[in-house]
Structures are given as C-alpha cells and as structure tokens.
Amino acid sequence: DAEITQSPRHKITETGRQVTLACHQTWNHNNMFWYRQDLGHGLRLIHYSYGVHDTNKGEVSDGYSVSRSNTEDLPLTLESAASSQTSVYFCASSEAGDTSEQYFGPGTRLTVT
Amino acid sequence: AQSVSQHNHHVILSEAASLELGCNYSYGGTVNLFWYVQYPGQHLQLLLKYFSGDPLVKGIKGFEAEFIKSKFSFNLRKPSVQWSDTAEYFCAVNAPFSGGYQKVTFGTGTKLQVIP
C-alpha cells in the first residue's frame, strides 16, 4: 500500500544545530507540504512543493528550508535550530488539483533544548 | 488571503449527544472545504470534503457537514457521538488558483472529548 513516512519520529537537538527531517511518500503525488502543529495555532504551513525542483514558502518559513530533487522526498531542514522551533512536524502529500485531499505522515516530534 | 476560524476550541459531550462544530472561512471566491480528524497520537485523516454539488456532504463514521455559502460556513455535525469520536477536528479551506494548484489553510482545531 502507498504511504507517507517521516523520520525520525522523535528528535532532541540543541540550539544552533542544523537538523533535517525526512519525508518520503510512495503515492507518486506531485504536491508535498510541511506543517508544524502547535497548541493554539493548529497546523501552519512551512513550505510546499508542486513538483520536482519546485519549492514555495508558506506562512512560517523563516528558519526552514526544503529541496525537492525527486517526486518521493521533501526533506525539511532547520538551518540553526531555535527553541521556538520545538513542535510537531507533519508532512503531507496530495495529487495535483485543488479538490484533492492531503495524506499526512505520522509526524515528527522535535524538541530543541 | 484566506483564513479559517473554528470558534470552539474544546468541546465536552456525553455519549449519544449531538455534535456541531463551527467553521467559518474568509474568501470571496470558489472554495474547496475539508474536515480532517486527528485521533490521539495519530496523524490527520480526511473526514469529508466539499467542492461542488449538494451542499450537504456525508463523510465517514456518520459525520456530515453543510456548506452555507451565504454564511461562509462549513459546520460539522454528528447526530450521536461515541467515545471513539474523541479527537481533534480541523476545518480546512483551499481556494484554488491557476493551474489547479492548491494551498490549504487549516483552522486552529477543536478538541472533542466524549465522556462515556
């Protein structure tokens, strides 16, 4: 069965370190998204991609970057981790088209100390 | 820019009670609307969606939602909740733009707690 996976599932890192969160989908979806989930804020869009070599900034992109070198993967990099980036991160993918639902990964809980 | 409001942040109901969760969006054009559910410790999954046709949409597990264009609303309902409905519910809006691309905006979520 097709799926979307994230790794690691839990990560503790120190302030200032670079961290990369992996997202891999086997749906063959063009669209991929990264969100962070925080109490009181729901899901906020960090970055998104509509296809290989395409990346776009979301509403909370500062301090994060993504790259899309193939259809399956959209890694999220925190350039220099900050305590404010402690959160649960969800990756999602969808087919092209504005009525398509998003399929979510299991999430990565990141703690920055 | 589109935005989504979920006014109820935390709802507590007894089993068999009826449920209605509010969702209002701000966008003047055509929209696609979604409700997602996140059970404790799990990832988000789709409950139902509306993009055209009958404004009353039925989803999984007995949930339904009604799109009222004049009120910019897409409220989620269930006639009789069960303990297993305890979860967080997210309303989402996608205002399509050229090329069929999508950028979905999520509400802040409503936590539903069902007491046996």
Side-chain angles (χ1 to χ4, degrees):
Chain A
D1 287 346
E3 61 178 354
I4 179 165
T5 57
Q6 293 182 235
S7 62
R9 295 293 311 280
H10 301 271
K11 174 80 176 176
I12 301 174
T13 192
E14 295 176 344
T15 302
R17 292 200 181 252
Q18 185 181 76
V19 176
T20 297
L21 309 183
C23 174
H24 179 81
Q25 53 102 358
T26 57
W27 292 98
N28 199 33
H29 286 161
N30 285 331
N31 300 341
M32 294 186 74
F33 308 84
W34 272 104
Y35 298 90
R36 59 178 289 174
Q37 184 179 28
D38 304 287
L39 273 174
H41 291 280
L43 283 161
R44 291 182 290 175
L45 183 64
I46 305 171
H47 282 285
Y48 56 104
S49 167
Y50 292 138
V52 177
H53 302 310
D54 175 76
T55 60
N56 306 279
K57 293 182 178 181
E59 61 180 308
V60 289
S61 60
D62 287 349
Y64 303 94
S65 64
V66 292
S67 62
R68 187 91 180 269
S69 58
N70 58 50
T71 300
E72 296 79 18
D73 299 289
L74 187 70
L76 176 72
T77 298
L78 285 68
E79 310 291 350
S80 176
S83 57
S84 60
Q85 294 177 307
T86 292
S87 186
V88 180
Y89 292 85
F90 286 99
C91 181
S93 71
S94 72
E95 292 180 344
D98 47 53
T99 63
S100 300
E101 70 176 277
Q102 294 190 4
Y103 293 81
F104 284 82
T108 294
R109 184 174 294 276
L110 177 68
T111 302
V112 183
T113 61
Chain B
Q2 62 203 43
S3 66
V4 181
S5 297
Q6 292 182 245
H7 306 293
N8 311 105
H9 299 295
H10 195 183
V11 173
I12 302 173
L13 294 174
S14 298
E15 275 192 315
S18 64
L19 170 71
E20 181 160 4
L21 301 182
C23 173
N24 289 91
Y25 65 92
S26 66
Y27 184 76
T30 303
V31 290
N32 301 312
L33 300 159
F34 306 81
W35 275 99
Y36 286 86
V37 60
Q38 185 179 27
Y39 297 104
Q42 296 189 25
H43 57 89
L44 277 80
Q45 53 188 288
L46 183 71
L47 261 183
L48 48 79
K49 67 179 181 181
Y50 170 82
F51 54 90
S52 67
D54 189 343
L56 184 62
V57 180
K58 294 195 184 297
I60 61 172
K61 303 186 180 185
F63 286 92
E64 65 179 30
E66 185 175 13
F67 170 51
I68 303 179
K69 190 174 181 179
S70 61
K71 294 185 178 180
F72 299 92
S73 71
F74 190 55
N75 292 353
L76 181 71
R77 300 195 292 245
K78 186 171 184 179
S80 176
V81 295
Q82 301 172 327
W83 177 79
S84 58
D85 293 324
T86 294
E88 190 161 14
Y89 294 81
F90 293 91
C91 181
V93 171
N94 175 28
F97 49 103
S98 63
Y101 294 138
Q102 60 164 240
K103 193 172 78 172
V104 179
T105 300
F106 284 84
T108 53
T110 298
K111 286 191 176 180
L112 171 65
Q113 183 179 357
V114 180
I115 301 170

